[in-house]
Structure formats: structure tokens, C-alpha cells
Amino acid sequence: MTDQSALFEYLLRLGDNTLVLGHRVSEWCGHAPVLEEDIALANTALDLIGQTQMWLGLAGEVEGSGRSADDLAMHRDVWDFRNLLLVEQPNGDFGQTLMRQCLFDAFHLELLTDLTRASDDRIAAIAAKALKEVTYHLDRSSETVIGLGDGTEESHRRMQTALDLLWPYVGEMFTPDAVDLAMHAAGIAPDLTALRTRFDTRIDAILTEATLTKPDSTYAQSGGKTGFRHSEHLGHMLTQMQWLQRAYPGATW
Amino acid sequence: MKNEWPLWEVFIRGQHGLNHRHVGSLHAPDAEMAIKNARDVYTRRNEGVSIWVVEAAHITASSPSDKGPLYEPSESKVYRHPTFFDIPDEAGHM
Amino acid sequence: MYAQMVKSEATAEDPQKLAAFQARIDAGEKIEPKDWMPEGYRKTLIRQIGQHAHSEIVGQLPEGNWITRAPTLERKAILLAKVQDEAGHGLYLYCAAETLGVSRDELTEMLLDGRMKYSSIFNYPTLTWADMGAVGWLVDGAAIMNQVPLQRTSYGPYSRAMIRICKEESFHQRQGYHIMMKMAQGTPAQKKMAQDALNRFWYPSLMMFGPSDKDSVHSAQSMKWKIKMNTNDELRQKFVDQTVPQAEFLGLTVPDDTLRWNDDKGGYDFAEPDWSEFFDVIQGNGPCNTERLAARNKAWDDGAWVREGLMAHAAKKRAAKLAAE
Ligand SMILES: [Fe+2]
Ligand SMILES: [Fe+2]
Ligand SMILES: [Fe+2]
């Protein structure tokens, strides 16, 4: 793998995570439990879409074959997506959505923190901007997870169910592969093992306050960020997201 | 209603150092969430740098800090402002 | 409009107080929550603001229908921000209504069980991407026509909510028109889509202003109270006069054979919408009434555990804090 192609892959990972999660969160629009949450979820989704434009825009630039962020979002099929399995999981109930968000935010925050020191200035700049947004995302998602975990019996039960369901997708975030290692060697990406420690510290504190029990399984699903094997959910998401571009090729909107 | 989230009044101090000004209200289960909701509801267009919330029930009326992450993001959402959309003059006032 | 056919209440109160109240309104003063007001004024406002708020909330659904299918990242972000604004508008308006002594949850339940209405327009389906253009251009355009004068309404909290709303609305119509421009200048399929959207949304948009004033019994009192600022026909005329040239600019045809410029009145003559269709929609028989209410009911019911959970947590925190003091 050349450095350039590893960089392209890595940028796809960053951009596809925010693309797919932003899309998922936007599915809530008009259907949230309370107006204030509806508006807050939309803000999160908007931040993630904005980050996608930057990451995928840069990915297209690095690739150098003239593909824009939109081309990359709308004209790749499932196997070319490089997002984590976690973010493509369906919304489920509000608790599941917020648990997914909190787990991703905690990872995302640590990742972006390190990326602000990346040897590539373009990456450092995007990370710095995204970090401000994501700091707030984690603030909000963790507070909600805590509130619901330590709320009523029902909300506690639902949050524990969500955690149990999503926990197997946590490991993938921290399991380095050739791309991660190459990027780490290039002074761009952090050491994922060290990141995991910081993530665990954060998440343990949140879960304790939320009175939730971290599953003791370390089993990790994989195949999202490498694109080797996504879940079935992603394809259905893409049929919606890409439909107009696919049905009317060559049109501008 | 039995378990309705309480109503909070929201006060925001803008960029220009003027006093906190009442901008509206919202519902939230507690003060911390009220601050966050205020940020999400009332600063989407970069309106403020400092937020106060007061539970409406605690206000007596006569007759009638997390600066960076809390406020900066909305600066990049230019599409929320009408001038972002180029509409030719021929189309008339909009 | 967003508050169509709002019945205004008769008032049987102290004539002196009523006269003083009317004098304040005539003098352009704002009525504030703790001021004396006729029961009818209060009730009419609750109904009108509530219906307006419900319209914003239900109005999220037809456009929300396309957020996950928006053709580009930028369009997705714009549409999401726009629909999010509508949620905000609903929120501001519910808060204004709450100053009149009704809670948001009470209003919500009246919407959900059908005791309160929302604008007829949101019971029409959005079938193609061009509908996102048509809704922004026509529906928000019609709404703005009504909302701008309401900034001067006599009730303070309502007026302030409208000022905030109008400030935010200004991008809604423009983004819609911008979509229409792209479509109208696009491929033949896009242009056809744009025309089709105009065909379907033209008459429902005209209906937004409510039936003709000659049939509207409640207007007079509301206009005296300055909670209705213009007659339905005035606003409809203004809307047509503004919109027809915009359609021409797009190269689209307004689906009305009778449409003619009338020099004498300085405005267009145009065909009335089918008012029996309007009443059907208001009665609950529009193409999407069932889905819209079902979606709102589902959001509310599914969200109950969240609202209760966060409330319970807040109570625990309060108790712990008290115990620590
Ligand atoms: Fe609206
Ligand atoms: Fe609105
Ligand atoms: Fe609008």
C-alpha cells in the first residue's frame, strides 16, 4: 500500500463515519421524543454532515481523480464504504440512538484530539474544527445516557439493552489494521491502543454514573472500516441516500 | 400534565458585550439540560456567547461558560442565512 | 394560513374594561401575559397560536420525508436545517401559548387526539425532490405573507415569537426557489418534475389562506383585536401577484387557465381553489391526514419513557443535592 492510497483509505474512514452517522441521526427529524431533542439531534446531524464534506472533500483531493465529496457519498456501493459497523446500526429506540452516539462520540473526541496534531496540516485543521463540535456532542450524549440510565426502571432497562446490543461494535474502533498502522507511522493517526485506554476511562465513568453495567465480553465484530463485510443495514441506507443521484445520472441539483 | 418538563426562561448575551437579554423559553428536566437545550435552540445562528437559564416558576414578574464548543460550530452553517441563496433579481423579492 | 378557520370567542365582560382594553390595542400597545384581557381574546389566541404551533410541527413531516433522500450533502444539510427551524418555530409558539395558561403537553394532546387542527397544507404528500422546492417556494412563501404582518400583532409574546420566526423564515423560501431554479434549468426530467410539483401544490397553497372573507365569520373580531392583521382574500391576492412572475421566471406554468392580469385592480384574476376539497382535508380526509397524525402520535408515545426517564433522573439529582447540603 502506498502512503497516498493509505491516506485516501484513512480519509474515507473519517468521512464515511460522519456521513453514515449523520444520515442515521437525521432520520430522527420530526420524530424525536420532545421538541428540544429534535432540534438538538438535527444540530448533531448537521455538524456530522459538515465534517463529511470536509473529510470526503479532502479524500477526493488526495485521490486525485476528480471525485468530489458528493461523488464519493453518492456513487460508491457498500463494499467501498469504510465506516465503522457501529455507526451504520439502525437507530432503534431513542436510547439506542443515544448510546450509539455516546460510544462513537467518546471515540471520536479522543481521535480528533490526536488528529489536531497530525503531521498533515489539512487534517489537523479539519480535526480542530470538528473537535469543537464533537466536544459538545459527547457532552450532550453522555449526559443523556446518564440521565436515562439513572432514570426510571424502564429507561434503565432500555439503556442496558442498548449497551449490550452495541458493545460488540466498540472493539472495531480500536483494532488497528495496515491502514491505521501506516497512518500512525506517517505521524497522522494516533496509536489506537493508547486511545482505547482513554476511551475506557471516559466510558467507564459515564456508565458508572448511568448505573449501567459494561458487558464483560470483549468480542468485537469487524469488517466495517476495512469494507470487508458491512452489516446488511448499510445497503438499505444507501438505497435511500443515493437514490436520486442513481435514478437521474448527470443531473445537477 | 402530570410529569411535564418544567419551563425555563433563556437569557443570552451576544457577541457585543451587551447585557443578557431574554430570548425565549424552553422545556428541560433540569438546569444542565436547559443550558444545553438553550444552546441548541437559541444559538443556531451564532447569536450568543453566554447563556443564563432560570426556571420560569422562580421568576417574579411585575405587571408585565463553555465558550468554544458551545458557540463556535454555528459559524459554519452559512446556509441558515438567506443571503446564501443567489436568487436573481428578476424573480422578485423573496 | 397556518391558523385556518380559527373561531373567535364572544366575550361577555365588563364593558368598561373591554373598552379600555380595546383602546390599548387601538393605540398600538402590546398586551402582556399578566395584563387583564377578555376571556375571548385569551381563548382565541390559544386556539390560533396553538394551531400555528401544531402546523409548524406537523409541517416537519412532509419535508422530513426527503431528508434521507436529498441529492447532495449540501442539499441535505440545508433541508435538515430548514426543517429544524420549523421545529424551533413550533417551540417558540408553544411557549407563547403557554403564557396564556395552557401547557405545551396539553396543547400536544389536543393535537394528537384531533381536538385541535393544523394547516391543511401539510396533509398533502411530497412525492419528488421538486416538492422540496415547491414547498419552500410556495408554502413558506404563503406562510411568510401571513407571518410578516403578525409581527405587529397585539399580544406581546406572540409578536416576539413571530419576529424571531420571520427572521429565520427568510432563508426557507429562497432555498425552495433555488431548488426550483435548478430543476427548471435542469434535464427534461427535472423540468417535468418541477412542473408536476407546481401543479400539485398550487391550489393547496392558495387554500392556506383560508376560505374567502365573505364566508369567514370570525375575522372581524380577530382583526379588531389585532390577532388577525389582513383578510384571507387580501393575502391570497398578494401571494398570487408575487408568485406568478416567479413561476414565469422559472418557465413553469401556473395550472390555472383563467389566470389573467387585471389592469383595473392592479393584480391577477385567478381561479379559486376547490373549497370542498379544503373542507374535506380539514375534516381529516386529506391524502395524508392519517399518516401525519399517526407519525406525531408515535413520536409522542415512543418518547414517553425518555421524557419520564430524564425527569426521574433530575428528581434524583435534586434529592441528592438537598441531602448533601
Ligand atoms: Fe413553516
Ligand atoms: Fe416556520
Ligand atoms: Fe418555514
Side-chain angles (χ1 to χ4, degrees):
Chain A
M1 192 178 308
T2 67
D3 273 5
Q4 211 52 7
S5 70
L7 179 58
F8 175 64
E9 284 280 312
Y10 192 70
L11 289 166
L12 287 183
R13 290 178 184 190
L14 294 169
D16 286 347
N17 280 340
T18 54
L19 171 63
V20 170
L21 186 59
H23 185 99
R24 281 285 185 236
V25 176
S26 81
E27 291 172 4
W28 273 101
C29 184
H31 306 279
V34 66
L35 271 176
E36 284 80 357
E37 291 294 343
D38 211 297
I39 293 169
L41 285 168
N43 275 339
T44 301
L46 285 167
D47 287 343
L48 293 170
I49 296 166
Q51 292 169 23
T52 304
Q53 290 173 301
M54 296 188 286
W55 290 128
L56 292 186
L58 182 55
E61 224 176 285
V62 165
E63 187 194 29
S65 33
R67 287 202 282 182
S68 66
D70 280 326
D71 293 334
L72 289 169
M74 302 298 177
H75 293 283
R76 285 176 300 150
D77 204 347
V78 167
W79 58 78
D80 283 330
F81 271 73
R82 294 293 181 263
N83 59 280
L84 296 160
L85 294 174
L86 175 69
V87 296
E88 72 195 42
Q89 297 310 303
N91 284 341
D93 65 11
F94 183 80
Q96 195 177 316
T97 292
L98 265 291
M99 182 60 78
R100 183 187 63 199
Q101 190 68 40
C102 183
L103 293 171
F104 180 73
D105 289 344
F107 157 75
H108 205 194
L109 178 98
E110 298 298 353
L111 175 66
L112 291 169
T113 303
D114 287 358
L115 287 177
T116 60
R117 295 187 293 269
S119 59
D120 184 318
D121 291 345
R122 299 168 299 181
I123 292 177
I126 297 173
K129 175 167 191 325
L131 180 59
K132 287 176 186 158
E133 298 172 343
V134 170
T135 303
Y136 180 69
H137 296 176
L138 179 61
D139 240 27
R140 182 152 192 128
S141 63
S142 61
E143 189 168 341
T144 310
V145 164
I146 290 167
L148 292 172
D150 182 38
T152 58
E153 230 171 89
E154 181 182 7
S155 72
H156 176 84
R157 177 178 52 73
R158 285 176 183 264
M159 294 315 283
Q160 187 64 53
T161 305
L163 178 61
D164 295 345
L165 183 78
L166 295 172
W167 194 251
Y169 299 104
V170 166
E172 186 186 16
M173 304 193 278
F174 303 99
T175 313
D177 68 352
V179 173
D180 293 315
L181 295 173
M183 286 299 100
H184 182 51
I188 290 171
D191 168 12
L192 286 176
T193 323
L195 210 68
R196 173 89 208 218
T197 313
R198 280 146 58 195
F199 171 88
D200 281 334
T201 310
R202 259 180 210 285
I203 284 294
D204 289 349
I206 293 167
L207 295 181
T208 304
E209 225 190 309
T211 69
L212 296 172
T213 313
K214 185 158 96 176
D216 62 18
S217 158
T218 55
Y219 184 75
Q221 300 283 357
S222 65
K225 69 179 179 183
T226 60
F228 177 71
R229 186 164 56 217
H230 280 280
S231 67
E232 290 178 351
H233 306 296
L234 182 61
H236 291 283
M237 202 194 98
L238 296 187
T239 57
Q240 276 198 26
M241 189 173 85
Q242 302 181 334
W243 178 75
L244 265 178
Q245 289 280 2
R246 304 281 195 168
Y248 300 92
T252 46
W253 305 91
Chain B
M1 285 301 110
K2 49 179 186 349
N3 221 4
E4 189 160 358
W5 288 1
L7 186 69
W8 300 77
E9 300 301 330
V10 180
F11 301 81
I12 290 184
R13 177 159 54 71
Q15 311 282 352
H16 307 295
L18 297 175
N19 289 334
H20 281 78
R21 205 167 62 85
H22 183 241
V23 295
S25 332
L26 49 74
H27 288 271
D30 57 33
E32 288 75 26
M33 285 308 289
I35 288 274
K36 290 195 166 67
N37 289 346
R39 181 262 191 207
D40 279 305
V41 172
Y42 287 106
T43 71
R44 302 200 307 285
R45 285 173 175 78
N46 218 9
E47 289 95 333
V49 294
S50 162
I51 300 175
W52 290 348
V53 293
V54 185
E55 200 173 331
H58 294 158
I59 289 186
T60 309
S62 69
S63 222
S65 61
D66 285 309
K67 207 167 161 239
L70 233 54
Y71 303 105
E72 285 181 43
S74 63
E75 278 172 19
S76 60
K77 309 293 188 296
V78 287
Y79 42 74
R80 286 197 176 107
H81 300 274
T83 46
F84 179 71
F85 301 93
D86 238 334
I87 305 291
D89 294 342
E90 298 93 295
H93 172 75
M94 211 171 281
Chain C
M1 191 35 57
Y2 278 14
Q4 294 155 326
M5 320 251 326
V6 173
K7 205 164 119 224
S8 74
E9 296 269 335
T11 43
E13 267 139 320
D14 178 354
Q16 255 184 334
K17 276 183 163 175
L18 280 176
F21 179 78
Q22 190 60 49
R24 290 190 60 197
I25 289 183
D26 295 341
E29 275 179 47
K30 294 280 181 244
I31 309 301
E32 295 297 337
K34 293 184 89 180
D35 295 346
W36 183 87
M37 63 186 81
E39 215 16 51
Y41 177 84
R42 199 180 65 83
K43 282 193 178 150
T44 308
L45 268 176
I46 289 179
R47 214 173 278 155
Q48 176 170 334
I49 301 174
Q51 191 174 316
H52 192 160
H54 298 330
S55 299
E56 302 283 357
I57 299 311
V58 178
Q60 285 185 274
L61 299 172
E63 287 173 291
N65 184 35
W66 277 89
I67 289 171
T68 57
R69 288 179 288 174
T72 66
L73 295 169
E74 181 171 89
R75 287 286 176 209
K76 193 208 294 264
I78 291 167
L79 184 61
L80 179 54
K82 194 263 183 197
V83 180
Q84 178 197 43
D85 273 352
E86 306 301 2
H89 299 171
L91 187 151
Y92 310 152
L93 287 161
Y94 283 128
C95 289
E98 285 186 85
T99 63
L100 293 159
V102 60
S103 80
R104 189 202 292 178
D105 284 7
E106 282 165 346
L107 289 168
T108 300
E109 284 180 359
M110 287 194 268
L111 165 70
L112 297 181
D113 66 19
R115 272 175 294 161
M116 285 184 85
K117 303 282 179 212
Y118 55 90
S119 176
S120 55
I121 191 70
F122 301 118
N123 290 309
Y124 290 87
T126 53
L127 302 176
T128 72
W129 176 251
D131 289 8
M132 297 304 96
V135 169
W137 171 36
L138 301 173
V139 175
D140 286 82
I144 291 165
M145 208 120 265
N146 179 59
Q147 292 178 159
V148 165
L150 273 176
Q151 293 178 103
R152 291 179 285 110
T153 185
S154 62
Y155 188 55
Y158 190 23
S159 156
R160 290 188 285 275
M162 290 317 305
I163 289 169
R164 196 171 180 94
I165 288 172
C166 285
K167 220 167 89 189
E168 298 186 359
E169 278 295 344
S170 50
F171 104 78
H172 294 182
Q173 191 189 15
R174 294 173 73 98
Q175 65 86 32
Y177 196 74
H178 202 260
I179 291 175
M180 287 311 258
M181 282 182 4
K182 284 277 183 216
M183 307 285 290
Q185 295 159 3
T187 64
Q190 283 177 300
K191 184 154 188 182
K192 200 169 148 198
M193 225 184 266
Q195 181 63 53
D196 173 66
L198 175 57
N199 293 348
R200 280 180 290 108
F201 276 96
W202 176 253
Y203 288 106
S205 300
L206 296 187
M207 291 177 199
M208 286 176 68
F209 299 94
S212 177
D213 301 305
K214 8 182 230 305
D215 313 317
S216 176
V217 274
H218 311 293
S219 291
Q221 178 63 73
S222 287
M223 288 185 73
K224 239 179 108 189
W225 278 335
K226 290 195 190 159
I227 56 185
K228 184 177 169 76
M229 309 300 284
N230 305 82
T231 69
N232 297 345
D233 289 330
E234 268 166 34
L235 290 173
R236 188 167 17 247
Q237 182 70 51
K238 211 174 151 197
F239 174 75
V240 171
D241 293 345
Q242 176 189 286
T243 308
V244 169
Q246 291 167 352
E248 281 166 1
F249 180 78
L250 293 171
L252 300 178
T253 311
V254 172
D256 176 357
D257 295 337
T258 69
L259 190 76
R260 299 265 180 292
W261 178 257
N262 179 334
D263 244 337
D264 297 336
K265 75 173 182 189
Y268 285 92
D269 291 330
F270 57 92
E272 291 271 314
D274 174 0
W275 290 111
S276 68
E277 176 183 317
F278 172 78
F279 288 109
D280 276 341
V281 175
I282 291 278
Q283 291 321 311
N285 295 319
C288 297
N289 294 59
T290 311
E291 289 96 324
R292 299 292 186 246
L293 267 189
R296 288 311 306 163
N297 271 287
K298 182 172 188 318
W300 185 245
D301 295 342
D302 289 355
W305 72 270
V306 177
R307 297 189 299 273
E308 282 157 20
L310 292 177
M311 200 58 181
H313 177 69
K316 285 186 203 177
K317 270 204 305 194
R318 251 195 323 276
K321 205 172 151 200
L322 274 179
E325 271 167 16

